[in-house]
Amino acid sequence: ETGVTQTPRHLVMGMTNKKSLKCEQHLGHNAMYWYKQSAKKPLELMFVYNFKEQTENNSVPSRFSPECPNSSHLFLHLHTLQPEDSALYLCASSQPLEGGMDTEAFFGQGTRLTVV
Amino acid sequence: AQSVTQLDSHVSVSEGTPVLLRCNYSSSYSPSLFWYVQHPNKGLQLLLKYTSAATLVKGINGFEAEFKKSETSFHLTKPSAHMSDAAEYFCVVSDPYSSASKIIFGSGTRLSIRP
């Protein structure tokens, strides 16, 4: 148990569906991240939120829409996805420190998404 | 700009022999460096981290890594491999002079252990 919880653990959705992934952390961190992990590809940073503000959008298609209502919760809203979006989606959190450094990132178990 | 390169996509060793997973980084200043491990169908777990204190860092499960600034390397080692070490390993860099809270992952090294 890392203190970062993702739900659901598995999700199968059609290309016309709308669904959301949820991430919750109880570590008191102020930075949260979404990563995409596809088979045989490096881990891809998607979005970064610092103190609820989005500070990084790594050229992610608009069919992925993040939301960070507070420092403890992060959502990834999905709509009209493609089969190639099937992957493991990982959420992480860290704590920005003075001087620009960060604590290490704590990861959730991930949501295994399959788009059919 | 910061980056991290894991030089081997796959390493295979026999049980009981040493493990070496290589990582080189590029950073504008003195970065924080991490190694994470991911077992099949599991999330990422922190093995160890370097944050400008001792250059030889000891982590969990007998792993350690040495920060060598002159070589811009942060290789992960273990004296004796165990079957349970089979997993994917990621080298990670966090640069305080890059975008705030930006953590960059290497492409990963898959470690296999032969009986």
Side-chain angles (χ1 to χ4, degrees), chain A residues 46-47 60-66 76-79 81 85 89:
Chain A
M46 299 175 73
F47 300 105
V60 181
S62 60
R63 58 186 183 270
F64 295 91
S65 174
L76 188 62
H77 304 300
L78 315 170
H79 64 98
L81 294 192
D85 296 323
Y89 288 85

Side-chain angles (χ1 to χ4, degrees), chain B residues 11 13 17-21 63 76-81 85 111 113:
Chain B
V11 170
V13 302
T17 64
V19 175
L20 170 64
L21 305 183
F63 284 94
L76 182 70
T77 60
K78 183 173 180 177
S80 176
D85 295 327
L111 176 63
I113 311 296

